[in-house]
Tab-separated table of all heavy atoms in Angstrom:
chain	number	residue	atom	x	y	z
Q	607	LYS	N	10.792	10.314	0.264
Q	607	LYS	CA	11.073	11.325	1.295
Q	607	LYS	C	10.022	12.415	1.307
Q	607	LYS	O	9.360	12.647	2.319
Q	607	LYS	CB	12.451	11.946	1.054
Q	607	LYS	CG	12.779	13.093	2.030
Q	607	LYS	CD	14.094	13.748	1.710
Q	607	LYS	CE	14.029	14.625	0.482
Q	607	LYS	NZ	13.183	15.856	0.682
Q	611	LEU	N	7.994	11.383	4.645
Q	611	LEU	CA	8.841	11.585	5.817
Q	611	LEU	C	8.981	13.071	6.132
Q	611	LEU	O	9.290	13.445	7.262
Q	611	LEU	CB	10.224	10.984	5.570
Q	611	LEU	CG	10.256	9.463	5.382
Q	611	LEU	CD1	11.637	9.024	4.932
Q	611	LEU	CD2	9.868	8.748	6.655
Q	612	THR	N	8.778	13.900	5.120
Q	612	THR	CA	8.887	15.347	5.299
Q	612	THR	C	7.525	15.984	5.048
Q	612	THR	O	6.593	15.333	4.598
Q	612	THR	CB	9.929	15.943	4.339
Q	612	THR	OG1	9.511	15.700	2.982
Q	612	THR	CG2	11.291	15.308	4.565
Q	759	PRO	N	11.569	17.429	8.200
Q	759	PRO	CA	10.932	16.161	8.582
Q	759	PRO	C	9.609	16.417	9.300
Q	759	PRO	O	9.466	17.398	10.030
Q	759	PRO	CB	11.942	15.521	9.539
Q	759	PRO	CG	13.224	16.209	9.285
Q	759	PRO	CD	12.870	17.603	8.852
Q	760	ARG	N	8.667	15.511	9.094
Q	760	ARG	CA	7.426	15.573	9.871
Q	760	ARG	C	7.764	15.137	11.294
Q	760	ARG	O	8.449	14.128	11.487
Q	760	ARG	CB	6.378	14.653	9.263
Q	760	ARG	CG	6.013	14.998	7.846
Q	760	ARG	CD	5.073	13.963	7.259
Q	760	ARG	NE	3.736	14.083	7.808
Q	760	ARG	CZ	2.629	14.221	7.078
Q	760	ARG	NH1	2.727	14.255	5.758
Q	760	ARG	NH2	1.458	14.309	7.643
Q	761	PRO	N	7.326	15.862	12.299
Q	761	PRO	CA	7.682	15.507	13.688
Q	761	PRO	C	7.291	14.075	14.044
Q	761	PRO	O	8.049	13.357	14.697
Q	761	PRO	CB	6.892	16.530	14.519
Q	761	PRO	CG	6.664	17.674	13.595
Q	761	PRO	CD	6.518	17.082	12.233
Q	762	GLU	N	6.103	13.654	13.595
Q	762	GLU	CA	5.657	12.307	13.931
Q	762	GLU	C	6.443	11.235	13.192
Q	762	GLU	O	6.478	10.068	13.616
Q	762	GLU	CB	4.159	12.143	13.636
Q	762	GLU	CG	3.773	12.273	12.176
Q	762	GLU	CD	3.535	13.711	11.729
Q	762	GLU	OE1	3.921	14.639	12.458
Q	762	GLU	OE2	2.962	13.895	10.641
Q	763	ALA	N	7.097	11.609	12.060
Q	763	ALA	CA	7.874	10.626	11.300
Q	763	ALA	C	9.102	10.178	12.081
Q	763	ALA	O	9.524	9.027	11.974
Q	763	ALA	CB	8.286	11.203	9.947
Q	764	VAL	N	9.706	11.072	12.858
Q	764	VAL	CA	10.879	10.709	13.658
Q	764	VAL	C	10.509	9.615	14.650
Q	764	VAL	O	11.209	8.608	14.788
Q	764	VAL	CB	11.428	11.952	14.396
Q	764	VAL	CG1	12.623	11.562	15.246
Q	764	VAL	CG2	11.812	13.044	13.398
Q	765	THR	N	9.381	9.794	15.319
Q	765	THR	CA	8.906	8.792	16.276
Q	765	THR	C	8.561	7.489	15.568
Q	765	THR	O	8.858	6.393	16.057
Q	765	THR	CB	7.671	9.320	17.025
Q	765	THR	OG1	7.996	10.572	17.638
Q	765	THR	CG2	7.212	8.340	18.092
Q	767	VAL	N	9.760	6.283	12.696
Q	767	VAL	CA	10.962	5.582	12.241
Q	767	VAL	C	11.594	4.822	13.407
Q	767	VAL	O	12.034	3.675	13.258
Q	767	VAL	CB	11.973	6.567	11.612
Q	767	VAL	CG1	13.323	5.907	11.407
Q	767	VAL	CG2	11.444	7.089	10.282
Q	768	ALA	N	11.616	5.457	14.578
Q	768	ALA	CA	12.168	4.787	15.757
Q	768	ALA	C	11.314	3.580	16.140
Q	768	ALA	O	11.836	2.526	16.517
Q	768	ALA	CB	12.255	5.774	16.923
Q	779	MET	N	15.165	4.998	2.714
Q	779	MET	CA	14.679	6.216	2.067
Q	779	MET	C	15.140	6.266	0.612
Q	779	MET	O	16.317	6.099	0.310
Q	779	MET	CB	15.172	7.454	2.814
Q	779	MET	CG	14.533	8.740	2.331
Q	779	MET	SD	14.882	10.132	3.431
Q	779	MET	CE	16.568	10.497	2.976
Q	790	ALA	N	21.326	14.061	5.045
Q	790	ALA	CA	21.063	14.961	6.170
Q	790	ALA	C	19.681	14.694	6.763
Q	790	ALA	O	19.517	14.596	7.981
Q	790	ALA	CB	21.165	16.420	5.706
Q	791	ILE	N	18.685	14.556	5.903
Q	791	ILE	CA	17.330	14.258	6.376
Q	791	ILE	C	17.294	12.865	7.011
Q	791	ILE	O	16.625	12.635	8.029
Q	791	ILE	CB	16.316	14.357	5.228
Q	791	ILE	CG1	16.184	15.805	4.755
Q	791	ILE	CG2	14.966	13.812	5.639
Q	791	ILE	CD1	15.537	16.726	5.762
Q	792	GLY	N	18.019	11.908	6.405
Q	792	GLY	CA	18.062	10.551	6.941
Q	792	GLY	C	18.617	10.511	8.352
Q	792	GLY	O	18.108	9.790	9.217
Q	793	ARG	N	19.667	11.293	8.596
Q	793	ARG	CA	20.237	11.350	9.950
Q	793	ARG	C	19.268	12.016	10.914
Q	793	ARG	O	19.117	11.601	12.067
Q	793	ARG	CB	21.570	12.091	9.924
Q	793	ARG	CG	22.724	11.269	9.345
Q	793	ARG	CD	24.050	11.975	9.558
Q	793	ARG	NE	24.150	13.172	8.722
Q	793	ARG	CZ	24.676	13.191	7.505
Q	793	ARG	NH1	25.148	12.077	6.969
Q	793	ARG	NH2	24.748	14.312	6.821
Q	794	GLU	N	18.609	13.073	10.452
Q	794	GLU	CA	17.676	13.796	11.317
Q	794	GLU	C	16.482	12.923	11.699
Q	794	GLU	O	15.950	13.019	12.805
Q	794	GLU	CB	17.201	15.062	10.597
Q	794	GLU	CG	16.537	16.067	11.502
Q	794	GLU	CD	16.320	17.411	10.812
Q	794	GLU	OE1	16.823	17.606	9.687
Q	794	GLU	OE2	15.633	18.257	11.402
Q	795	LEU	N	16.072	12.068	10.764
Q	795	LEU	CA	14.928	11.202	11.014
Q	795	LEU	C	15.286	9.960	11.833
Q	795	LEU	O	14.401	9.284	12.362
Q	795	LEU	CB	14.314	10.746	9.687
Q	795	LEU	CG	13.469	11.781	8.939
Q	795	LEU	CD1	13.300	11.366	7.484
Q	795	LEU	CD2	12.109	11.940	9.601
Q	796	GLY	N	16.567	9.647	11.906
Q	796	GLY	CA	16.981	8.426	12.588
Q	796	GLY	C	17.016	7.213	11.687
Q	796	GLY	O	17.183	6.089	12.152
Q	797	ILE	N	16.868	7.425	10.374
Q	797	ILE	CA	16.985	6.313	9.426
Q	797	ILE	C	18.434	5.858	9.341
Q	797	ILE	O	18.728	4.658	9.272
Q	797	ILE	CB	16.474	6.749	8.030
Q	797	ILE	CG1	14.969	7.016	8.086
Q	797	ILE	CG2	16.786	5.690	6.980
Q	797	ILE	CD1	14.407	7.568	6.810
Q	798	LEU	N	19.334	6.828	9.348
Q	798	LEU	CA	20.766	6.555	9.254
Q	798	LEU	C	21.417	6.892	10.591
Q	798	LEU	O	21.493	8.054	10.982
Q	798	LEU	CB	21.384	7.389	8.122
Q	798	LEU	CG	22.844	7.132	7.805
Q	798	LEU	CD1	23.049	5.703	7.319
Q	798	LEU	CD2	23.340	8.120	6.746
Q	799	LEU	N	21.869	5.868	11.288
Q	799	LEU	CA	22.537	6.061	12.575
Q	799	LEU	C	24.043	6.001	12.393
Q	799	LEU	O	24.536	5.467	11.380
Q	799	LEU	CB	22.088	4.989	13.566
Q	799	LEU	CG	20.597	4.976	13.930
Q	799	LEU	CD1	20.322	3.897	14.954
Q	799	LEU	CD2	20.147	6.333	14.435
Side-chain angles (χ1 to χ4, degrees):
K607 176 184 74 68
L611 296 171
T612 62
R760 300 174 74 126
E762 64 274 14
V764 179
T765 305
V767 168
M779 189 169 76
I791 293 292
R793 284 189 290 268
E794 195 169 352
L795 284 162
I797 293 175
L798 185 63
L799 298 182

